[in-house]
Amino acid sequence: MRFCPNLNWKNLFTKSRNFAASFQRASTTSSYSSSAAAMSNLQILKTKLCIIGSGPAAHTAAVYAARAELKPILFEGWMANDIAPGGQLTTTTDVENFPGFPDGILGGELMDRCRKQSERVGTEIYTETVSKVDFSNRPFKVFTDAKVVEADSVVVATGAVAKKLPFIGSGDGPDGFWNRGISACAVCDGAAPIFRNKPLAVIGGGDSAMEEATFLTKYGSEVHIIHRRNSFRASKIMQARALDNKKIKVIWNSVVVKAYGDENNQRVLGGLRIKNVETGVESDLKVSGLFFAIGHEPATKFLDGQLELDSDGYVVTKPGTTKTSIDGVFAAGDVQDKKYRQAITAAGSGCMAALDAEHYLQEIGSQQDKSD
């Protein structure tokens, strides 16, 4: 390129910089206008309490809040985390450990009843998935694709999803054995008749796997722990408890590659195809039950770091309460409980969250009255 000495480079640079600034302002204005237009298309609702979730914790919170005349709005989600409204109980069959049902009840039916009770006492329910929240200002904002709720308080009860392994036969389709021999909760399902006095298997190597295997020895004839490594990551005491149990056997360095049906009834689990990861040799293991014990994933991504989470992604609550790191935001159920993960404990924490929210709203109401 030839240098031109008579060209006023300073003026050219100034004009170029001014053009860039104008372009940036125009882009920012355009972006803001697009965002504002998108916001203007959302239906705006206002409430004292917004509940996010659809399981026992969410609906218990809704019942208590509605009876306290907080007029709660509840977003139950639509296939949020690939689970239907109602949470993990909708993926189970018989629930035999929820009080009040001596003959047991189907998980889906239990959640249908919870939903009807929430509606009967006055909860406003929307089958929409919450995509994001804004807890930086008050009132808090809860967004779906169609609505934005301005809420004085929020209960997060989005639960946690059990991690599964994707091998042949592990799903819930016509060729899968999910809920027909495969489960992710020994405490929930282990006492079912199809598992009693039958050989069972657990996949995992942590404390949960040791605990579930030990629990299953109460019902199964024997329990196999299948682990892909040659050592467990579980605590020493939990390892010792499992390894000292004569009904527990360990299959080291192995993974499940296929689940198949029973010879006499192809609709229920009959066995597993196991592969040794070191030798590549495959073998059959006849079992009537398989339990995943490889952890859970709490549904907290939509929070976008606005609440304090622990190292595993669970919402941190103040001991003895459902209070989170932000005043006015509460968490209940499995989204903040990595230990118990039961329907009844979730329901109990949902009650706590509603009461905590009611007390919070009374406090801020009293402060506003004083300022007025």
Side-chain angles (χ1 to χ4, degrees):
M1 184 178 72
R2 181 186 295 179
F3 178 73
C4 192
N6 296 324
L7 189 62
N8 191 330
W9 291 98
K10 184 176 180 180
N11 289 341
L12 182 62
F13 176 75
T14 301
K15 291 179 180 180
S16 177
R17 186 172 58 182
N18 291 340
F19 174 78
S22 299
F23 180 80
Q24 185 177 21
R25 285 194 298 271
S27 299
T28 302
T29 302
S30 175
S31 176
Y32 176 80
S33 299
S34 299
S35 177
M39 282 288 293
S40 66
N41 291 329
L42 295 177
Q43 180 185 3
I44 299 176
L45 303 174
K46 296 183 179 182
T47 182
K48 292 180 180 178
L49 174 63
C50 181
I51 301 168
I52 309 171
S54 63
H59 283 296
T60 304
V63 169
Y64 273 78
R67 285 172 56 83
E69 299 184 350
L70 300 184
K71 299 180 180 178
I73 289 175
L74 184 150
F75 285 115
E76 64 180 357
W78 173 247
M79 297 308 293
N81 305 302
D82 297 323
I83 295 179
Q88 288 199 89
L89 279 179
T90 62
T91 70
T92 66
T93 51
D94 294 325
V95 177
E96 298 181 325
N97 57 2
F98 199 92
F101 301 95
D103 298 321
I105 184 172
L106 294 175
E109 183 184 353
L110 176 60
M111 293 319 304
D112 284 343
R113 292 190 179 198
C114 289
R115 190 182 193 279
K116 289 177 181 178
Q117 186 175 4
S118 293
E119 284 188 311
R120 185 182 67 81
V121 294
T123 304
E124 199 172 332
I125 300 176
Y126 295 98
T127 309
E128 300 176 24
T129 300
V130 171
S131 56
K132 64 178 181 178
V133 294
D134 182 359
F135 296 152
S136 62
N137 295 296
R138 287 170 174 74
F140 303 122
K141 291 183 175 62
V142 177
F143 296 85
T144 71
D145 289 342
K147 296 177 178 65
V148 55
V149 170
E150 296 180 353
D152 296 324
S153 60
V154 175
V155 170
V156 178
T158 45
V161 180
K163 295 178 181 178
K164 305 175 186 178
L165 294 175
F167 52 80
I168 298 172
S170 67
D172 56 1
D175 299 324
F177 296 95
W178 181 254
N179 280 334
R180 293 191 286 125
I182 299 180
S183 169
C185 182
V187 175
C188 310
D189 304 326
I194 63 171
F195 300 131
R196 289 183 179 270
N197 301 312
K198 301 289 181 62
L200 307 173
V202 172
I203 297 178
D207 282 353
S208 294
M210 304 301 111
E211 185 176 2
E212 300 223 340
T214 302
F215 176 83
L216 288 170
T217 59
K218 299 177 182 179
Y219 308 104
S221 58
E222 60 182 10
V223 179
H224 301 268
I225 300 177
I226 303 170
H227 190 46
R228 59 183 176 177
R229 298 189 177 91
N230 61 3
S231 63
F232 292 133
R233 66 179 184 279
S235 60
K236 297 297 181 183
I237 188 170
M238 294 299 293
Q239 289 189 47
R241 190 175 299 171
L243 296 175
D244 289 345
N245 193 310
K246 295 181 180 179
K247 294 180 74 173
I248 293 179
K249 301 176 181 179
V250 182
I251 303 176
W252 300 106
N253 300 313
S254 297
V255 295
V256 177
V257 295
K258 181 181 180 181
Y260 52 84
D262 184 81
E263 294 176 356
N264 300 317
N265 184 359
Q266 287 293 314
R267 289 188 56 78
V268 298
L269 181 68
L272 305 171
R273 190 72 176 166
I274 309 294
K275 179 180 179 179
N276 186 293
V277 296
E278 291 190 339
T279 66
V281 175
E282 295 188 5
S283 59
D284 286 300
L285 179 66
K286 299 292 184 181
V287 295
S288 296
L290 172 65
F291 296 82
F292 293 124
I294 54 176
H296 289 70
E297 184 176 354
T300 53
K301 291 181 180 178
F302 74 99
L303 297 171
D304 196 27
Q306 296 183 67
L307 294 181
E308 180 185 356
L309 308 178
D310 69 10
S311 58
D312 295 317
Y314 289 83
V315 177
V316 174
T317 54
K318 298 177 182 178
T321 77
T322 61
K323 298 176 181 178
T324 69
S325 55
I326 294 180
D327 288 340
V329 180
F330 308 89
D334 290 6
V335 76
Q336 53 85 51
D337 172 23
K338 65 168 68 175
K339 182 177 182 180
Y340 298 105
R341 296 194 297 264
Q342 299 299 302
I344 192 65
T345 54
S349 66
C351 166
M352 292 171 60
L355 295 176
D356 284 343
E358 183 183 3
H359 294 158
Y360 166 78
L361 292 169
Q362 289 173 348
E363 289 176 2
I364 63 173
S366 298
Q367 292 172 3
Q368 289 174 352
D369 290 341
K370 290 179 182 178
S371 63
D372 294 340

